């Protein structure tokens, strides 16, 4: 179990460094689509903080209670709004938003005991442990980080 908790925490720490390293991108690289007709690097990064905020506000407060988890947001709407915001922001603003939000989330999860990481909960009909949930979030990050690396070649 400790290894899983460590894996999650290390990923979140590394994600801060990885995102910070994007500051060296040119504006053209930052605004480059990850594939023809797809989001730009800016939009991909820009959609991650709202999801971290969702986890902080609508998942974490309920994980250690017997209350039902609140319904998730409309994914398409949340992503569309986040992508729009990142198109309007500077690279610095988008990166700072990610770093600030991710640091807060990291601070929250670093406080949990090993037993808390193993707690089970339900999302809809699916039951999972908190560690399973966060590993799923990490896989989402890694998918997008890989897409970006394939485009910017860093």
């Amino acid at each position: 179990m400790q290894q899983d908790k460590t894996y999650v925490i290390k990923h979140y720490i590394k994600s801060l460094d990885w995102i910070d390293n994007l500051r060296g991108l040119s504006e053209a690289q930052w605004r480059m689509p990850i594939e023809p007709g797809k989001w730009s690097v800016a939009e991909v990064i820009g959609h991650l903080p709202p999801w971290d905020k969702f986890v902080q506000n609508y998942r974490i407060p309920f994980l250690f209670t017997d209350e039902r988890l609140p319904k998730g947001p409309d994914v398409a709407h949340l992503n569309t709004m986040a992508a729009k915001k990142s198109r309007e922001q500077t690279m610095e603003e988008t990166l700072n938003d990610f770093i600030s939000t991710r640091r807060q989330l990291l601070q929250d999860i670093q406080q949990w005991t090993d037993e808390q990481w193993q707690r089970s909960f339900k999302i809809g009909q699916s039951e999972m442990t908190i560690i399973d949930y966060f590993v799923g979030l990490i896989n989402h990050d890694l998918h997008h980080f890989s897409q970006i690396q394939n485009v910017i070649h860093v």
Side-chain angles (χ1 to χ4, degrees):
M1 200 317 285
Q2 184 63 28
Q3 185 178 18
D4 292 331
K5 172 184 174 179
T6 301
Y7 171 74
V8 172
I9 290 170
K10 280 185 179 179
H11 168 78
Y12 277 65
I13 292 168
K14 286 179 184 178
S15 72
L16 292 167
D17 292 335
W18 194 86
I19 293 294
D20 198 46
N21 285 331
L22 296 179
R23 292 183 195 280
L25 295 180
S26 68
E27 187 66 17
Q29 287 174 306
W30 180 245
R31 303 292 175 187
M32 182 183 307
I34 57 168
E35 289 180 26
K38 299 285 187 179
W39 276 350
S40 67
V41 171
E43 292 165 311
V44 171
I45 298 302
H47 97 284
L48 296 172
W51 286 106
D52 281 359
K53 290 174 187 170
F54 171 76
V55 170
Q56 284 181 286
N57 295 323
Y58 298 101
R59 290 298 178 246
I60 290 176
F62 299 91
L63 291 178
F64 305 114
T65 72
D66 292 328
E67 292 183 56
R68 290 183 71 88
L69 294 176
K71 188 175 183 331
D74 178 313
V75 173
H77 178 73
L78 182 72
N79 287 344
T80 299
M81 297 309 295
K84 180 182 183 298
K85 181 180 176 183
S86 65
R87 286 190 299 273
E88 296 167 354
Q89 289 181 316
T90 65
M91 176 172 43
E92 188 77 12
E93 290 170 323
T94 300
L95 294 176
N96 287 345
D97 190 26
F98 177 95
I99 289 170
S100 170
T101 304
R102 183 60 57 99
R103 275 192 184 133
Q104 288 179 310
L105 183 55
L106 178 61
Q107 287 174 355
D108 289 345
I109 68 173
Q110 284 178 312
Q111 299 173 34
W112 296 343
T113 65
D114 292 350
E115 292 76 26
Q116 286 175 308
W117 281 96
Q118 288 302 320
R119 182 174 170 102
S120 291
F121 68 101
K122 275 187 157 184
I123 295 182
Q125 299 303 313
S126 301
E127 186 166 338
M128 65 187 75
T129 64
I130 291 172
I131 190 72
D132 294 334
Y133 180 71
F134 277 89
V135 167
L137 296 175
I138 288 172
N139 290 338
H140 177 247
D141 277 358
L142 294 175
H143 166 72
H144 288 305
F145 293 176
S146 175
Q147 289 176 314
I148 291 168
Q149 280 186 290
N150 289 338
V151 162
I152 62 172
H153 310 293
V154 292

